[in-house]
Amino acid sequence: MTKGFEESLSLFKDKISDCIKSQKSISITTHIDCDGLTSGSIIAKALIREGANCTLRTSKEFSKDIVESFKTDSRDFHIVTDLGGGFVKDLNQTLGDDWIVLDHHQISEEEKDNQNVINAWKYGMDGGSEICAGGMAYLAAMSLDEKNSDLSEIAVVSALGDRQDQGDRKSFTGKNFEIANTAKELGLVEMDLDLLLVGRETRPLAEAIAFTSQPFIEGLTWNKETCLSILKSSGIKLKEEGRWRVPAELNEEEKKLVIKTITDFSPDKNTTEVMSELIGYTYTFPKEDKRSFLRDGREYSTMLNSCGRINRSGVGMAICMGDRNQVLSEGEGILTDYRKKIKEYMNILSNERWRLSENENYIMVNGEDIVPETMTGTISSLIAGSPKNIGKIIILRTRGEANTIKFSSRKSFGCKSEINLSELMRTAAEKFDGIGGGHNAAAGAKITKDKLDEFLKYLELNVVNVSSSSDHQ
Ligand code: C5P
């Protein structure tokens, strides 16, 4: 840990101790996605353990209005997790010194100078791949008390939800690797190299393939009948003693045959390359029930993403904070509904070809009146995970609240473009009075509808021409 980071965590600890001693109430405001729900829950749990008086709420984005709302809020001190980049001046002006941001999104040099900003990039950590807000929150929780090491399990979920498993074979790197190893030493997580099918330990093989959307194989993803039919022809033994076999029960030869069967089915020339995505490290939580969807770290993270995106963040945060009662079946129901919705949107987008405008570098997708604003990130990630879009940049847009248009951009698998999407989205949005930002390979923006044509023209020109170091036109 760098000296600067240690100093920041010690500042965090001092501020929290001061709040507790002087009985100041604390609000935690966090993002609605998996990383937001996990980071907010980690901090809330750690504060509750310290005896702090705190509340936890979510927001789908950060804005001046939210900062303003803090002023009239009855809480004395404000912690913002997985949000806040770009609003440091406003936070300072409105709240003085009574705030802390724990984040991993790329921010300007000016914002890095503020001591209340505890952002991964400030300490030389890559916030896009080495640590996310959940990891930052975990390290902050550890600075309060090392007993919080059990929260490493939730930090693993956050990193999976933010797709930070970008090392060899979907392993973790940097701080994520260290945190996952802490969880492993505590017996909270098991890491194995295996087929990355959804429901590895719980679903029959055909269903597991159908539920797997990364990579997104048209015709197989969400199509159980076709999956079953190709598996039957492959000769893999699908049942044992009358019970469907699950992916974890296959031997090495059978696993190879599964990959070959999927590859042979897909007409896309890039499928073989993309299939490498199907083998990697799995993260299993052995303390969760054997039949529970929470046993698999990636499925856990999908459930959290789905909670936030359909306005049920509370369910996700309750689960992260340890509730395993009624809320668990609610979480499972949300996950099922969410998958149904994604399937519906993807079907429409693939049937209505007029919604796509494509060249060799990028695909612009018009999701207006189909994709809800909160689900643009999920859908753009799925489009980016399809073998036929390999190497391209995906830019999806849809209608947002109050006459706005929301954009979500992703670099697909194998994309060699040097462009930094965070920079592109931020610069473009600022040029047209909007807000934008994120990471090198995944970023978003929001503008008002009247600026749409100009904004699109700007993106079309700059998505190809701009490298991370050159000036935008
Ligand atoms: O919305 P979407 O999932 O496409 O966003 C991708 C990443 O960019 C997320 O991490 C999100 O928090 C971030 N983002 C941002 N500022 C925005 C929009 C998105 O930092 N204005």
Side-chain angles (χ1 to χ4, degrees), residues 186-434:
L186 294 172
L188 298 170
V189 67
E190 287 165 1
M191 299 179 237
D192 297 293
L193 202 51
D194 201 356
L195 275 181
L196 296 178
L197 296 178
V198 171
R200 196 172 76 95
E201 292 188 334
T202 52
R203 293 184 198 280
L205 185 58
E207 200 176 295
I209 297 175
F211 270 77
T212 300
S213 55
Q214 204 71 27
F216 183 89
I217 309 285
E218 236 168 275
L220 289 186
T221 302
W222 300 311
N223 200 335
K224 201 165 85 183
E225 275 68 40
T226 314
C227 293
L228 187 59
S229 140
I230 61 163
L231 285 173
K232 275 183 181 160
S233 332
S234 74
I236 297 171
K237 193 172 154 201
L238 298 179
K239 276 188 172 180
E240 203 158 60
E241 293 168 9
R243 188 185 54 81
W244 293 104
R245 295 173 78 207
V246 299
E249 292 168 334
L250 303 187
N251 63 34
E252 290 310 309
E253 281 313 304
E254 288 171 319
K255 284 176 190 169
K256 279 187 200 144
L257 194 49
V258 168
I259 293 196
K260 184 177 181 310
T261 307
I262 299 174
T263 312
D264 289 348
F265 170 85
S266 175
D268 293 307
K269 61 182 184 322
N270 298 318
T271 306
T272 312
E273 208 177 337
V274 176
M275 277 308 123
S276 62
E277 287 273 280
L278 266 182
I279 302 165
Y281 281 95
T282 58
Y283 299 84
T284 308
F285 302 135
K287 295 206 187 309
E288 300 293 347
D289 192 272
K290 270 235 168 240
R291 307 297 301 175
S292 166
F293 64 98
L294 296 183
R295 255 177 97 86
D296 179 78
R298 289 189 176 82
E299 201 158 4
Y300 192 154
S301 74
T302 308
M303 183 276 298
L304 292 179
N305 270 321
S306 58
C307 285
R309 304 214 189 261
I310 58 173
N311 299 322
R312 302 292 308 280
S313 299
V315 171
M317 293 189 294
I319 292 175
C320 286
M321 291 174 75
D323 193 339
R324 293 289 180 274
N325 296 305
Q326 170 74 18
V327 91
L328 204 56
S329 53
E330 281 187 52
E332 198 162 14
I334 289 169
L335 190 53
T336 308
D337 290 350
Y338 177 73
R339 287 201 166 111
K340 257 190 227 147
K341 285 194 172 139
I342 297 175
K343 177 178 176 183
E344 182 191 322
Y345 306 144
M346 288 298 280
N347 277 343
I348 299 175
L349 294 180
S350 87
N351 290 335
E352 298 183 1
R353 307 302 290 181
W354 60 268
R355 290 179 177 277
L356 309 188
S357 109
E358 187 170 355
N359 69 15
E360 70 277 15
N361 301 306
Y362 64 80
I363 306 177
M364 298 268 186
V365 186
N366 176 353
E368 288 182 34
D369 303 318
I370 304 295
V371 182
E373 185 184 352
T374 50
M375 286 178 68
T376 46
T378 308
I379 302 297
S380 62
S381 293
L382 283 182
I383 299 172
S386 171
K388 66 173 182 242
N389 300 330
I390 196 167
K392 295 192 181 176
I393 288 172
I394 315 298
I395 301 178
L396 169 69
R397 71 171 185 275
T398 197
R399 273 186 225 281
E401 282 165 2
N403 253 338
T404 57
I405 302 286
K406 154 86 187 161
F407 282 80
S408 178
S409 62
R410 296 287 184 272
K411 282 185 184 173
S412 67
F413 180 77
C415 178
K416 304 267 187 310
S417 168
E418 282 193 359
I419 195 163
N420 183 326
L421 290 179
S422 166
E423 229 179 274
L424 175 73
M425 283 295 172
R426 182 165 47 81
T427 320
E430 278 167 7
K431 200 172 166 65
F432 299 103
D433 307 320

Side-chain angles (χ1 to χ4, degrees), residues 451-467:
K451 304 279 175 25
L452 178 61
D453 291 344
E454 291 168 280
F455 187 80
L456 282 175
K457 252 188 233 142
Y458 181 90
L459 284 186
E460 276 166 19
L461 194 65
N462 288 282
V463 75
V464 196
N465 290 348
V466 180
S467 79

Side-chain angles (χ1 to χ4, degrees), residues 105-171:
H105 291 103
Q106 291 184 347
I107 50 168
S108 65
E109 290 304 316
E110 197 187 338
E111 293 210 324
K112 282 185 198 161
D113 283 342
N114 191 302
Q115 63 165 4
N116 293 351
V117 173
I118 308 186
N119 183 304
W121 293 96
K122 191 167 153 173
Y123 315 103
M125 294 183 280
D126 183 328
S129 63
E130 292 177 340
I131 191 162
C132 54
M136 294 298 289
Y138 167 75
L139 295 173
M142 285 291 280
S143 78
L144 297 179
D145 194 323
E146 298 212 342
K147 271 202 314 267
N148 290 321
S149 58
D150 62 326
L151 302 176
S152 53
E153 175 180 334
I154 305 298
V156 168
V157 179
S158 70
L160 291 171
D162 247 32
R163 303 250 167 96
Q164 294 208 335
D165 49 346
Q166 295 168 23
D168 188 34
R169 300 262 152 153
K170 296 202 177 276
S171 57

